[in-house]
Amino acid sequence: MRSTARLLRHASRSRANSISFVGLGRMGSEMASNLFSKRIADENNSRFVVFDAVPEVAARFIIEFRKQFHSANITAVDNPEEATLASGTIITMLPSSPHVRQVYLDSSGIIPTLRSMPPLDASNTLCIDSTTLDVQVGRDVAAEAQAAGAGMVDAPVSGGVTGAKAGTLSFLVGGSEQSFTRASPILAHMGQRIIHCGPAGSGLAAKICNNLVLGVEQIVVAEAMLLGQRLGLDPAVLAGVINNSTGACWSSSVNNPVPGALPDKSPPCERGFEGGFATGLMIKDMGLATDVSKESGSPVPLAEAAEKIYIEAVRRYPELSRKDFSAVYEYLEGMKR
Ligand code: NAD
């Protein structure tokens, strides 16, 4: 492992052409695939480095990518240190705060590695973290990266796995104007809308507020769709009314939880709530909103109620944790009035 690190250190001259991607899960694998393939089209001397805590995940990604791009210069490394030594651009897409702390701050993490590098290499480094995590943890990590000489943005995403695959994500970016300008062309390979929300942590603040709205809306749409059917309405008729009236929202018009309600679309409810945005991740995001609301003294009674409902749904039906969060409809359907 150390000898690999030494080899990569010798290769520091090629850091400028190299991109490291850390965290190749449902979102990260699709984002990395778009980024790398579009980068090959732009510059054929690009190098790519991947790392995932599960080595088989990184190995599988490389096999799939090489099927498409036989000559791709892509390698897997053993830790974030090697990913940092190899590349001037490092993108992370991890589950949440503890994983980001580990990848950035552990002894073989990104920031201690930046500190050990020549100042010019550190200052030529840009870190982009697309994880949805606690705002304060995001701010602290960005401050450490800047103190080590690198640029950093928080760039959480909206658009889900479908948007990641299609390269149509929205990036909500927090960081300095300079880091935003450096990050934008890279993010443009993975998304369509890149919004500068303000200084470090602002992208996360915007993401958490958006998901607060989404989490609450998905429950209220489930309630209305259930009530309407019990009052004798056809779900497609009811969805048509809501989607053309003042109740219209994404949770009803795209992610409606009732099979048959959107005859010309294919929301997760049409495939047993498989795919989509996992209820477990929504619980995490509602928790991020309720936690940060306590610190900021801002009341979020609906977020607190919604968080309890998702937690109770998963307690009662553990399989809902990995299913799309619109499956909260099934939990309500099973509740006694
Ligand atoms: P995921 O669990 O599918 O993927 C996370 C990946 O990170 C896994 O491959 C895991 O092995 C890897 N990992 C975990 N700890 C690591 C570590 N210490 N070092 C290296 N790799 C590590 O999650 P996902 O669905 O891809 O979501 C990633 C982030 O994106 C989350 O913050 C989530 O809230 C956010 N997000 C997800 C969606 C969605 O629809 N899935 C939509 C918007 C935002």
PDB file of all heavy atoms in Angstrom, residues 22-28 51-54 57 93-96 99 102-103 130-132 157-158 160-161 207 276-277 281 284-285, ligand 1:
ATOM      1  N   VAL A  22     -14.586   9.156  -5.064  1.00  0.00           N
ATOM      2  CA  VAL A  22     -14.647   8.333  -3.846  1.00  0.00           C
ATOM      3  C   VAL A  22     -16.117   8.107  -3.473  1.00  0.00           C
ATOM      4  O   VAL A  22     -16.854   9.075  -3.232  1.00  0.00           O
ATOM      5  CB  VAL A  22     -13.913   9.046  -2.684  1.00  0.00           C
ATOM      6  CG1 VAL A  22     -14.053   8.256  -1.388  1.00  0.00           C
ATOM      7  CG2 VAL A  22     -12.446   9.272  -3.029  1.00  0.00           C
ATOM      8  N   GLY A  23     -16.551   6.833  -3.445  1.00  0.00           N
ATOM      9  CA  GLY A  23     -17.950   6.493  -3.103  1.00  0.00           C
ATOM     10  C   GLY A  23     -18.731   6.211  -4.366  1.00  0.00           C
ATOM     11  O   GLY A  23     -19.251   7.119  -5.001  1.00  0.00           O
ATOM     12  N   LEU A  24     -18.787   4.903  -4.732  1.00  0.00           N
ATOM     13  CA  LEU A  24     -19.395   4.521  -6.027  1.00  0.00           C
ATOM     14  C   LEU A  24     -20.699   3.768  -5.807  1.00  0.00           C
ATOM     15  O   LEU A  24     -20.918   2.695  -6.363  1.00  0.00           O
ATOM     16  CB  LEU A  24     -18.406   3.667  -6.822  1.00  0.00           C
ATOM     17  CG  LEU A  24     -17.110   4.395  -7.187  1.00  0.00           C
ATOM     18  CD1 LEU A  24     -16.015   3.397  -7.525  1.00  0.00           C
ATOM     19  CD2 LEU A  24     -17.328   5.358  -8.339  1.00  0.00           C
ATOM     20  N   GLY A  25     -21.570   4.335  -4.969  1.00  0.00           N
ATOM     21  CA  GLY A  25     -22.865   3.701  -4.704  1.00  0.00           C
ATOM     22  C   GLY A  25     -23.864   4.006  -5.798  1.00  0.00           C
ATOM     23  O   GLY A  25     -23.496   4.267  -6.943  1.00  0.00           O
ATOM     24  N   ARG A  26     -25.146   4.007  -5.410  1.00  0.00           N
ATOM     25  CA  ARG A  26     -26.212   4.198  -6.411  1.00  0.00           C
ATOM     26  C   ARG A  26     -26.034   5.500  -7.183  1.00  0.00           C
ATOM     27  O   ARG A  26     -26.209   5.547  -8.390  1.00  0.00           O
ATOM     28  CB  ARG A  26     -27.581   4.186  -5.718  1.00  0.00           C
ATOM     29  CG  ARG A  26     -28.046   2.781  -5.429  1.00  0.00           C
ATOM     30  CD  ARG A  26     -29.378   2.775  -4.749  1.00  0.00           C
ATOM     31  NE  ARG A  26     -29.208   3.033  -3.327  1.00  0.00           N
ATOM     32  CZ  ARG A  26     -30.151   2.819  -2.421  1.00  0.00           C
ATOM     33  NH1 ARG A  26     -31.324   2.370  -2.785  1.00  0.00           N
ATOM     34  NH2 ARG A  26     -29.931   3.058  -1.145  1.00  0.00           N
ATOM     35  N   MET A  27     -25.692   6.582  -6.477  1.00  0.00           N
ATOM     36  CA  MET A  27     -25.524   7.880  -7.129  1.00  0.00           C
ATOM     37  C   MET A  27     -24.110   8.014  -7.715  1.00  0.00           C
ATOM     38  O   MET A  27     -23.939   8.388  -8.874  1.00  0.00           O
ATOM     39  CB  MET A  27     -25.752   9.006  -6.127  1.00  0.00           C
ATOM     40  CG  MET A  27     -27.153   9.098  -5.584  1.00  0.00           C
ATOM     41  SD  MET A  27     -28.349   9.599  -6.824  1.00  0.00           S
ATOM     42  CE  MET A  27     -27.940  11.312  -7.030  1.00  0.00           C
ATOM     43  N   GLY A  28     -23.102   7.718  -6.878  1.00  0.00           N
ATOM     44  CA  GLY A  28     -21.716   7.962  -7.275  1.00  0.00           C
ATOM     45  C   GLY A  28     -21.316   7.211  -8.533  1.00  0.00           C
ATOM     46  O   GLY A  28     -20.619   7.760  -9.397  1.00  0.00           O
ATOM     47  N   PHE A  51     -12.189   5.015  -5.639  1.00  0.00           N
ATOM     48  CA  PHE A  51     -12.057   4.345  -4.342  1.00  0.00           C
ATOM     49  C   PHE A  51     -13.440   4.170  -3.732  1.00  0.00           C
ATOM     50  O   PHE A  51     -14.256   5.091  -3.764  1.00  0.00           O
ATOM     51  CB  PHE A  51     -11.172   5.146  -3.372  1.00  0.00           C
ATOM     52  CG  PHE A  51     -11.179   4.590  -1.986  1.00  0.00           C
ATOM     53  CD1 PHE A  51     -10.684   3.313  -1.732  1.00  0.00           C
ATOM     54  CD2 PHE A  51     -11.734   5.304  -0.923  1.00  0.00           C
ATOM     55  CE1 PHE A  51     -10.719   2.761  -0.446  1.00  0.00           C
ATOM     56  CE2 PHE A  51     -11.773   4.759   0.365  1.00  0.00           C
ATOM     57  CZ  PHE A  51     -11.259   3.488   0.595  1.00  0.00           C
ATOM     58  N   ASP A  52     -13.691   2.971  -3.202  1.00  0.00           N
ATOM     59  CA  ASP A  52     -14.903   2.725  -2.417  1.00  0.00           C
ATOM     60  C   ASP A  52     -14.499   1.858  -1.236  1.00  0.00           C
ATOM     61  O   ASP A  52     -13.570   1.043  -1.345  1.00  0.00           O
ATOM     62  CB  ASP A  52     -15.974   2.010  -3.268  1.00  0.00           C
ATOM     63  CG  ASP A  52     -17.341   2.036  -2.591  1.00  0.00           C
ATOM     64  OD1 ASP A  52     -17.570   1.236  -1.646  1.00  0.00           O
ATOM     65  OD2 ASP A  52     -18.173   2.879  -2.972  1.00  0.00           O
ATOM     66  N   ALA A  53     -15.197   2.044  -0.110  1.00  0.00           N
ATOM     67  CA  ALA A  53     -14.878   1.253   1.077  1.00  0.00           C
ATOM     68  C   ALA A  53     -15.035  -0.241   0.792  1.00  0.00           C
ATOM     69  O   ALA A  53     -14.411  -1.075   1.458  1.00  0.00           O
ATOM     70  CB  ALA A  53     -15.785   1.673   2.228  1.00  0.00           C
ATOM     71  N   VAL A  54     -15.882  -0.577  -0.185  1.00  0.00           N
ATOM     72  CA  VAL A  54     -16.050  -1.985  -0.582  1.00  0.00           C
ATOM     73  C   VAL A  54     -15.253  -2.180  -1.885  1.00  0.00           C
ATOM     74  O   VAL A  54     -15.674  -1.713  -2.951  1.00  0.00           O
ATOM     75  CB  VAL A  54     -17.555  -2.317  -0.811  1.00  0.00           C
ATOM     76  CG1 VAL A  54     -17.748  -3.772  -1.171  1.00  0.00           C
ATOM     77  CG2 VAL A  54     -18.371  -1.927   0.416  1.00  0.00           C
ATOM     78  N   VAL A  57     -16.872  -3.125  -5.182  1.00  0.00           N
ATOM     79  CA  VAL A  57     -17.696  -2.108  -5.838  1.00  0.00           C
ATOM     80  C   VAL A  57     -16.832  -1.326  -6.829  1.00  0.00           C
ATOM     81  O   VAL A  57     -17.224  -1.086  -7.980  1.00  0.00           O
ATOM     82  CB  VAL A  57     -18.335  -1.169  -4.775  1.00  0.00           C
ATOM     83  CG1 VAL A  57     -18.916   0.079  -5.406  1.00  0.00           C
ATOM     84  CG2 VAL A  57     -19.413  -1.919  -4.002  1.00  0.00           C
ATOM     85  N   MET A  93     -18.833  11.118  -2.806  1.00  0.00           N
ATOM     86  CA  MET A  93     -20.283  10.916  -2.787  1.00  0.00           C
ATOM     87  C   MET A  93     -20.564   9.779  -1.802  1.00  0.00           C
ATOM     88  O   MET A  93     -20.587   8.596  -2.177  1.00  0.00           O
ATOM     89  CB  MET A  93     -20.789  10.574  -4.195  1.00  0.00           C
ATOM     90  CG  MET A  93     -22.310  10.538  -4.315  1.00  0.00           C
ATOM     91  SD  MET A  93     -23.059  12.049  -3.677  1.00  0.00           S
ATOM     92  CE  MET A  93     -24.656  12.009  -4.436  1.00  0.00           C
ATOM     93  N   LEU A  94     -20.735  10.151  -0.534  1.00  0.00           N
ATOM     94  CA  LEU A  94     -20.766   9.182   0.566  1.00  0.00           C
ATOM     95  C   LEU A  94     -22.123   9.221   1.257  1.00  0.00           C
ATOM     96  O   LEU A  94     -22.908  10.155   1.046  1.00  0.00           O
ATOM     97  CB  LEU A  94     -19.640   9.527   1.542  1.00  0.00           C
ATOM     98  CG  LEU A  94     -18.244   9.464   0.891  1.00  0.00           C
ATOM     99  CD1 LEU A  94     -17.223  10.261   1.681  1.00  0.00           C
ATOM    100  CD2 LEU A  94     -17.803   8.022   0.726  1.00  0.00           C
ATOM    101  N   PRO A  95     -22.426   8.239   2.125  1.00  0.00           N
ATOM    102  CA  PRO A  95     -23.752   8.225   2.740  1.00  0.00           C
ATOM    103  C   PRO A  95     -24.045   9.459   3.598  1.00  0.00           C
ATOM    104  O   PRO A  95     -25.070  10.110   3.416  1.00  0.00           O
ATOM    105  CB  PRO A  95     -23.761   6.941   3.566  1.00  0.00           C
ATOM    106  CG  PRO A  95     -22.753   6.049   2.888  1.00  0.00           C
ATOM    107  CD  PRO A  95     -21.688   6.983   2.375  1.00  0.00           C
ATOM    108  N   SER A  96     -23.179   9.797   4.575  1.00  0.00           N
ATOM    109  CA  SER A  96     -23.519  10.934   5.453  1.00  0.00           C
ATOM    110  C   SER A  96     -22.302  11.431   6.247  1.00  0.00           C
ATOM    111  O   SER A  96     -21.159  11.103   5.922  1.00  0.00           O
ATOM    112  CB  SER A  96     -24.672  10.543   6.385  1.00  0.00           C
ATOM    113  OG  SER A  96     -25.222  11.718   6.959  1.00  0.00           O
ATOM    114  N   HIS A  99     -19.107   9.284   7.426  1.00  0.00           N
ATOM    115  CA  HIS A  99     -18.289   8.790   6.314  1.00  0.00           C
ATOM    116  C   HIS A  99     -17.448   9.933   5.732  1.00  0.00           C
ATOM    117  O   HIS A  99     -16.300   9.734   5.350  1.00  0.00           O
ATOM    118  CB  HIS A  99     -19.190   8.180   5.229  1.00  0.00           C
ATOM    119  CG  HIS A  99     -20.267   7.311   5.788  1.00  0.00           C
ATOM    120  ND1 HIS A  99     -21.445   7.838   6.268  1.00  0.00           N
ATOM    121  CD2 HIS A  99     -20.331   5.969   5.994  1.00  0.00           C
ATOM    122  CE1 HIS A  99     -22.188   6.860   6.738  1.00  0.00           C
ATOM    123  NE2 HIS A  99     -21.541   5.723   6.595  1.00  0.00           N
ATOM    124  N   GLN A 102     -14.610  10.589   8.079  1.00  0.00           N
ATOM    125  CA  GLN A 102     -13.590   9.550   7.950  1.00  0.00           C
ATOM    126  C   GLN A 102     -12.721   9.775   6.704  1.00  0.00           C
ATOM    127  O   GLN A 102     -11.493   9.764   6.782  1.00  0.00           O
ATOM    128  CB  GLN A 102     -14.301   8.187   7.872  1.00  0.00           C
ATOM    129  CG  GLN A 102     -13.351   7.016   7.913  1.00  0.00           C
ATOM    130  CD  GLN A 102     -14.086   5.684   7.767  1.00  0.00           C
ATOM    131  OE1 GLN A 102     -15.279   5.628   7.447  1.00  0.00           O
ATOM    132  NE2 GLN A 102     -13.371   4.616   7.995  1.00  0.00           N
ATOM    133  N   VAL A 103     -13.375  10.005   5.564  1.00  0.00           N
ATOM    134  CA  VAL A 103     -12.638  10.117   4.300  1.00  0.00           C
ATOM    135  C   VAL A 103     -11.768  11.378   4.274  1.00  0.00           C
ATOM    136  O   VAL A 103     -10.665  11.368   3.746  1.00  0.00           O
ATOM    137  CB  VAL A 103     -13.635  10.085   3.111  1.00  0.00           C
ATOM    138  CG1 VAL A 103     -13.000  10.590   1.825  1.00  0.00           C
ATOM    139  CG2 VAL A 103     -14.173   8.676   2.922  1.00  0.00           C
ATOM    140  N   SER A 130     -20.305  15.859  -2.697  1.00  0.00           N
ATOM    141  CA  SER A 130     -21.719  15.864  -3.105  1.00  0.00           C
ATOM    142  C   SER A 130     -22.621  15.115  -2.121  1.00  0.00           C
ATOM    143  O   SER A 130     -23.815  14.964  -2.370  1.00  0.00           O
ATOM    144  CB  SER A 130     -21.861  15.268  -4.514  1.00  0.00           C
ATOM    145  OG  SER A 130     -21.487  16.245  -5.463  1.00  0.00           O
ATOM    146  N   THR A 131     -22.050  14.659  -1.017  1.00  0.00           N
ATOM    147  CA  THR A 131     -22.839  13.969   0.017  1.00  0.00           C
ATOM    148  C   THR A 131     -23.881  14.921   0.611  1.00  0.00           C
ATOM    149  O   THR A 131     -23.625  16.120   0.732  1.00  0.00           O
ATOM    150  CB  THR A 131     -21.879  13.536   1.154  1.00  0.00           C
ATOM    151  OG1 THR A 131     -20.764  12.871   0.573  1.00  0.00           O
ATOM    152  CG2 THR A 131     -22.566  12.649   2.183  1.00  0.00           C
ATOM    153  N   THR A 132     -25.044  14.386   1.014  1.00  0.00           N
ATOM    154  CA  THR A 132     -25.976  15.173   1.832  1.00  0.00           C
ATOM    155  C   THR A 132     -25.619  14.888   3.290  1.00  0.00           C
ATOM    156  O   THR A 132     -25.786  13.757   3.754  1.00  0.00           O
ATOM    157  CB  THR A 132     -27.446  14.754   1.575  1.00  0.00           C
ATOM    158  OG1 THR A 132     -27.712  14.846   0.178  1.00  0.00           O
ATOM    159  CG2 THR A 132     -28.403  15.648   2.331  1.00  0.00           C
ATOM    160  N   VAL A 157     -26.809  17.085  -4.328  1.00  0.00           N
ATOM    161  CA  VAL A 157     -27.552  17.022  -5.592  1.00  0.00           C
ATOM    162  C   VAL A 157     -29.038  16.812  -5.371  1.00  0.00           C
ATOM    163  O   VAL A 157     -29.466  16.261  -4.364  1.00  0.00           O
ATOM    164  CB  VAL A 157     -27.029  15.883  -6.494  1.00  0.00           C
ATOM    165  CG1 VAL A 157     -25.557  16.063  -6.775  1.00  0.00           C
ATOM    166  CG2 VAL A 157     -27.293  14.518  -5.864  1.00  0.00           C
ATOM    167  N   SER A 158     -29.785  17.244  -6.366  1.00  0.00           N
ATOM    168  CA  SER A 158     -31.205  16.934  -6.430  1.00  0.00           C
ATOM    169  C   SER A 158     -31.440  16.289  -7.786  1.00  0.00           C
ATOM    170  O   SER A 158     -30.823  16.692  -8.778  1.00  0.00           O
ATOM    171  CB  SER A 158     -31.985  18.247  -6.292  1.00  0.00           C
ATOM    172  OG  SER A 158     -33.347  18.006  -6.453  1.00  0.00           O
ATOM    173  N   GLY A 160     -32.028  12.560  -7.957  1.00  0.00           N
ATOM    174  CA  GLY A 160     -32.082  11.117  -7.734  1.00  0.00           C
ATOM    175  C   GLY A 160     -31.237  10.304  -8.708  1.00  0.00           C
ATOM    176  O   GLY A 160     -30.466  10.846  -9.500  1.00  0.00           O
ATOM    177  N   VAL A 161     -31.417   8.979  -8.609  1.00  0.00           N
ATOM    178  CA  VAL A 161     -30.608   8.051  -9.410  1.00  0.00           C
ATOM    179  C   VAL A 161     -30.903   8.251 -10.907  1.00  0.00           C
ATOM    180  O   VAL A 161     -29.995   8.186 -11.749  1.00  0.00           O
ATOM    181  CB  VAL A 161     -30.874   6.585  -8.976  1.00  0.00           C
ATOM    182  CG1 VAL A 161     -30.102   5.612  -9.846  1.00  0.00           C
ATOM    183  CG2 VAL A 161     -30.502   6.393  -7.514  1.00  0.00           C
ATOM    184  N   LYS A 207     -30.125  22.117   0.270  1.00  0.00           N
ATOM    185  CA  LYS A 207     -30.547  20.717   0.037  1.00  0.00           C
ATOM    186  C   LYS A 207     -31.434  20.222   1.184  1.00  0.00           C
ATOM    187  O   LYS A 207     -32.467  19.585   0.964  1.00  0.00           O
ATOM    188  CB  LYS A 207     -29.287  19.839  -0.101  1.00  0.00           C
ATOM    189  CG  LYS A 207     -29.525  18.354  -0.098  1.00  0.00           C
ATOM    190  CD  LYS A 207     -30.187  17.871  -1.348  1.00  0.00           C
ATOM    191  CE  LYS A 207     -30.474  16.370  -1.290  1.00  0.00           C
ATOM    192  NZ  LYS A 207     -31.339  15.936  -2.358  1.00  0.00           N
ATOM    193  N   GLY A 276     -35.520   4.511  -6.886  1.00  0.00           N
ATOM    194  CA  GLY A 276     -35.928   5.784  -6.281  1.00  0.00           C
ATOM    195  C   GLY A 276     -35.062   6.179  -5.105  1.00  0.00           C
ATOM    196  O   GLY A 276     -33.898   5.777  -5.002  1.00  0.00           O
ATOM    197  N   PHE A 277     -35.650   6.948  -4.193  1.00  0.00           N
ATOM    198  CA  PHE A 277     -34.907   7.521  -3.054  1.00  0.00           C
ATOM    199  C   PHE A 277     -35.316   6.750  -1.790  1.00  0.00           C
ATOM    200  O   PHE A 277     -36.477   6.812  -1.366  1.00  0.00           O
ATOM    201  CB  PHE A 277     -35.247   9.011  -2.942  1.00  0.00           C
ATOM    202  CG  PHE A 277     -34.481   9.737  -1.862  1.00  0.00           C
ATOM    203  CD1 PHE A 277     -33.100   9.752  -1.861  1.00  0.00           C
ATOM    204  CD2 PHE A 277     -35.146  10.422  -0.864  1.00  0.00           C
ATOM    205  CE1 PHE A 277     -32.392  10.429  -0.873  1.00  0.00           C
ATOM    206  CE2 PHE A 277     -34.456  11.100   0.124  1.00  0.00           C
ATOM    207  CZ  PHE A 277     -33.068  11.105   0.109  1.00  0.00           C
ATOM    208  N   LEU A 281     -32.761   6.943   3.588  1.00  0.00           N
ATOM    209  CA  LEU A 281     -32.069   8.212   3.316  1.00  0.00           C
ATOM    210  C   LEU A 281     -32.974   9.398   3.645  1.00  0.00           C
ATOM    211  O   LEU A 281     -32.506  10.436   4.120  1.00  0.00           O
ATOM    212  CB  LEU A 281     -31.627   8.283   1.847  1.00  0.00           C
ATOM    213  CG  LEU A 281     -30.419   7.417   1.456  1.00  0.00           C
ATOM    214  CD1 LEU A 281     -30.128   7.549  -0.041  1.00  0.00           C
ATOM    215  CD2 LEU A 281     -29.186   7.783   2.261  1.00  0.00           C
ATOM    216  N   LYS A 284     -32.744  10.004   7.225  1.00  0.00           N
ATOM    217  CA  LYS A 284     -31.494  10.739   7.508  1.00  0.00           C
ATOM    218  C   LYS A 284     -31.681  12.229   7.222  1.00  0.00           C
ATOM    219  O   LYS A 284     -31.325  13.089   8.032  1.00  0.00           O
ATOM    220  CB  LYS A 284     -30.359  10.183   6.636  1.00  0.00           C
ATOM    221  CG  LYS A 284     -29.058  10.942   6.808  1.00  0.00           C
ATOM    222  CD  LYS A 284     -28.092  10.719   5.657  1.00  0.00           C
ATOM    223  CE  LYS A 284     -28.545  11.412   4.404  1.00  0.00           C
ATOM    224  NZ  LYS A 284     -27.529  11.596   3.381  1.00  0.00           N
ATOM    225  N   ASP A 285     -32.287  12.550   6.080  1.00  0.00           N
ATOM    226  CA  ASP A 285     -32.419  13.963   5.687  1.00  0.00           C
ATOM    227  C   ASP A 285     -33.398  14.717   6.592  1.00  0.00           C
ATOM    228  O   ASP A 285     -33.168  15.889   6.924  1.00  0.00           O
ATOM    229  CB  ASP A 285     -32.852  14.076   4.212  1.00  0.00           C
ATOM    230  CG  ASP A 285     -31.711  13.686   3.275  1.00  0.00           C
ATOM    231  OD1 ASP A 285     -30.630  13.334   3.780  1.00  0.00           O
ATOM    232  OD2 ASP A 285     -31.907  13.731   2.046  1.00  0.00           O
TER     233      ASP A 285
HETATM  234  P1  NAD B   1     -25.117   4.482  -1.408  1.00  0.00           P
HETATM  235  O1  NAD B   1     -25.211   3.924  -0.034  1.00  0.00           O
HETATM  236  O2  NAD B   1     -25.719   3.732  -2.555  1.00  0.00           O
HETATM  237  O3  NAD B   1     -23.550   4.711  -1.772  1.00  0.00           O
HETATM  238  C1  NAD B   1     -22.580   5.138  -0.871  1.00  0.00           C
HETATM  239  C2  NAD B   1     -21.239   4.506  -1.283  1.00  0.00           C
HETATM  240  O4  NAD B   1     -20.223   5.023  -0.430  1.00  0.00           O
HETATM  241  C3  NAD B   1     -21.220   2.983  -1.122  1.00  0.00           C
HETATM  242  O5  NAD B   1     -20.725   2.377  -2.301  1.00  0.00           O
HETATM  243  C4  NAD B   1     -20.292   2.756   0.073  1.00  0.00           C
HETATM  244  O6  NAD B   1     -19.574   1.534  -0.016  1.00  0.00           O
HETATM  245  C5  NAD B   1     -19.369   3.951  -0.063  1.00  0.00           C
HETATM  246  N1  NAD B   1     -18.715   4.296   1.202  1.00  0.00           N
HETATM  247  C6  NAD B   1     -19.239   4.320   2.448  1.00  0.00           C
HETATM  248  N2  NAD B   1     -18.309   4.711   3.345  1.00  0.00           N
HETATM  249  C7  NAD B   1     -17.166   4.935   2.643  1.00  0.00           C
HETATM  250  C8  NAD B   1     -15.859   5.339   3.001  1.00  0.00           C
HETATM  251  N3  NAD B   1     -15.537   5.602   4.269  1.00  0.00           N
HETATM  252  N4  NAD B   1     -14.934   5.437   2.016  1.00  0.00           N
HETATM  253  C9  NAD B   1     -15.258   5.181   0.724  1.00  0.00           C
HETATM  254  N5  NAD B   1     -16.485   4.777   0.321  1.00  0.00           N
HETATM  255  C10 NAD B   1     -17.415   4.662   1.274  1.00  0.00           C
HETATM  256  O7  NAD B   1     -25.709   5.952  -1.322  1.00  0.00           O
HETATM  257  P2  NAD B   1     -26.286   6.844  -2.536  1.00  0.00           P
HETATM  258  O8  NAD B   1     -27.707   6.506  -2.773  1.00  0.00           O
HETATM  259  O9  NAD B   1     -25.306   6.803  -3.662  1.00  0.00           O
HETATM  260  O10 NAD B   1     -26.276   8.297  -1.830  1.00  0.00           O
HETATM  261  C11 NAD B   1     -25.071   9.019  -1.645  1.00  0.00           C
HETATM  262  C12 NAD B   1     -25.425  10.405  -1.115  1.00  0.00           C
HETATM  263  O11 NAD B   1     -26.270  11.067  -2.055  1.00  0.00           O
HETATM  264  C13 NAD B   1     -26.191  10.411   0.217  1.00  0.00           C
HETATM  265  O12 NAD B   1     -25.728  11.466   1.011  1.00  0.00           O
HETATM  266  C14 NAD B   1     -27.637  10.627  -0.213  1.00  0.00           C
HETATM  267  O13 NAD B   1     -28.414  11.260   0.801  1.00  0.00           O
HETATM  268  C15 NAD B   1     -27.450  11.535  -1.418  1.00  0.00           C
HETATM  269  N6  NAD B   1     -28.550  11.482  -2.395  1.00  0.00           N
HETATM  270  C16 NAD B   1     -29.056  10.288  -2.796  1.00  0.00           C
HETATM  271  C17 NAD B   1     -30.096  10.248  -3.728  1.00  0.00           C
HETATM  272  C18 NAD B   1     -30.702   8.935  -4.178  1.00  0.00           C
HETATM  273  O14 NAD B   1     -31.745   8.955  -4.852  1.00  0.00           O
HETATM  274  N7  NAD B   1     -30.079   7.791  -3.869  1.00  0.00           N
HETATM  275  C19 NAD B   1     -30.611  11.446  -4.236  1.00  0.00           C
HETATM  276  C20 NAD B   1     -30.047  12.659  -3.840  1.00  0.00           C
HETATM  277  C21 NAD B   1     -29.005  12.658  -2.911  1.00  0.00           C
END
